[in-house]
Amino acid sequence: MTLAVGSTVRIRDGGGGKKKNPFTCKAIVATVSGDNTVSLVRDDLAPVPLGRVGKFIVAPLFNSVGINSVGRSVEECESSIDDLMELLPFEDKSGNEIADSLSTAEKVEFYKSRGDQLLRLNDYTCAAAYYEAALSFIANVSIGGTCIARKNGDAVIADVDCIDDDQYDVTFTSQNGEEEETTIPLKDILCSIWCKDEAYLQPRC
């Protein structure tokens, strides 16, 4: 691969580790030596929303993550050129613009498939950003929809009956078919369930 100072690459194990399944992450090339080694600046391992704006639904958003990356930690390291990989072809801002013309279902698959590719490379930081982008298109809680909510410390499936500001009237259905209607705040709703995924739900006690 051709290396240039200032270019972005993917580094295995963040610095040449020899673990059985090393994680990978992005790094910027600082210097290239003649002895097959490269000095790099590795970015913070905290996931960042695509475009560096917005928030996550499931993954934690660390305080170091910001629009301008203020406060994000960086780490200098050295690596053999053999431990470097080129970025995947779609890891370019222009590549994500294709999704604007797709349907909701196509957008979900678009970002999920890219997250799958990054996950197979053990780049959990970048994969999380693409999975969260996929979730963002189907995360809205609406009347008549299904969600997963907190109930007595458990995560339980509920149907949304009515929404009044931040108060949600929901119906919990137990495994034996019994229903319980109650009102919960928005903070107790963990996530929305996409209608196409409802057939895969299986309540358990």
Side-chain angles (χ1 to χ4, degrees):
M1 63 185 299
T2 303
L3 295 175
V5 173
S7 61
T8 302
V9 296
R10 178 162 281 109
I11 178 174
R12 293 184 177 88
D13 201 31
K18 300 300 181 183
K19 296 179 181 178
K20 183 177 180 180
N21 295 304
F23 71 85
T24 65
C25 64
K26 288 183 178 180
I28 297 175
V29 177
T31 61
V32 181
S33 303
D35 58 353
N36 205 42
T37 61
V38 181
S39 296
L40 306 112
V41 178
R42 188 184 70 185
D43 196 8
D44 195 316
L45 292 178
V48 183
L50 293 183
R52 294 185 179 270
V53 294
K55 60 182 181 179
F56 286 148
I57 298 169
V58 178
L61 188 61
F62 295 85
N63 292 333
S64 62
V65 177
I67 295 176
N68 298 315
S69 302
V70 176
R72 283 179 65 80
S73 63
V74 295
E75 178 181 339
E76 296 183 3
C77 60
E78 290 190 352
S79 175
S80 166
I81 293 179
D82 296 335
D83 284 329
L84 303 182
M85 296 181 287
E86 294 182 359
L87 299 185
L88 295 176
F90 64 78
E91 291 186 273
D92 185 305
K93 291 182 180 180
S94 61
N96 295 319
E97 295 174 356
I98 302 172
D100 294 340
S101 61
L102 303 178
S103 66
T104 297
E106 290 171 334
K107 287 178 181 178
V108 172
E109 181 57 33
F110 179 86
Y111 286 104
K112 177 186 176 298
S113 64
R114 294 184 170 198
D116 289 344
Q117 293 178 59
L118 290 162
L119 188 64
R120 285 192 286 270
L121 293 177
N122 297 326
D123 190 335
Y124 312 114
T125 297
C126 290
Y130 278 89
Y131 286 140
E132 286 283 343
L135 285 173
S136 68
F137 295 104
I138 53 175
N140 294 328
V141 180
S142 58
I143 295 174
T146 304
C147 68
I148 297 179
R150 294 189 183 93
K151 181 186 178 186
N152 301 325
D154 296 322
V156 184
I157 298 171
D159 294 322
V160 180
D161 303 319
C162 181
I163 301 175
D164 185 7
D165 293 330
D166 285 341
Q167 297 297 310
Y168 289 71
D169 293 340
V170 301
T171 300
F172 292 114
T173 303
S174 64
Q175 192 173 19
N176 58 17
E178 294 181 356
E179 295 186 348
E180 177 187 345
E181 296 182 0
T182 187
T183 300
I184 61 175
L186 177 60
K187 65 181 180 64
D188 282 347
I189 295 180
L190 302 177
C191 66
S192 174
I193 301 298
W194 193 23
C195 59
K196 291 181 178 292
D197 291 334
E198 290 182 9
Y200 300 103
L201 296 178
Q202 182 179 5
R204 300 181 68 89
C205 296

